[in-house]
């Protein structure tokens, strides 16, 4: 559903001694995911539904810097 979603760092957030963008890059390589949340749509017994699942192996936290390409 949101396969073009990527994390950004519009305010150049620093996490301890490491830039947030560096953490994003690390977790993208480690997990092969572009973002912590995976979303999709489908049907269950004919009922339309949408689902979002956070994968905390990526990185948990605020989602302030996301955009679709």
């Amino acid at each position: 559903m949101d396969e073009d979603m990527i994390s950004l760092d519009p305010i150049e957030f620093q996490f301890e001694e490491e830039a947030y963008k560096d953490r994003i890059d690390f977790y993208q390589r480690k997990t092969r995911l572009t973002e912590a949340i995976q979303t999709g749509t489908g049907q269950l017994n004919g009922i339309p539904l949408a689902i979002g699942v956070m994968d905390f192996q990526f990185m948990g936290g605020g989602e302030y810097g996301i955009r679709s390409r």
Side-chain angles (χ1 to χ4, degrees):
M1 184 169 138
D2 294 314
E3 56 273 350
D4 291 334
M5 186 181 293
I6 58 171
S7 290
L8 299 176
D9 186 13
I11 62 171
E12 298 178 1
F13 183 72
Q14 286 293 118
F15 183 79
E16 296 175 2
E17 298 297 319
E18 186 177 22
Y20 186 68
K21 179 66 178 133
D22 293 339
R23 290 176 54 86
I24 292 169
D25 292 341
F26 171 78
Y27 284 105
Q28 286 175 338
R29 286 191 308 274
K30 178 182 175 187
T31 64
R32 296 180 167 173
L33 300 172
T34 57
E35 185 52 58
I37 189 162
Q38 303 300 303
T39 60
T41 59
Q43 292 188 0
L44 181 61
N45 295 327
I47 301 168
L49 59 92
I51 188 169
V53 179
M54 293 291 293
D55 187 335
F56 284 99
Q57 289 183 28
F58 184 90
M59 192 166 59
E63 302 297 330
Y64 67 87
I66 301 173
R67 72 168 174 86
S68 287
R69 290 189 246 181

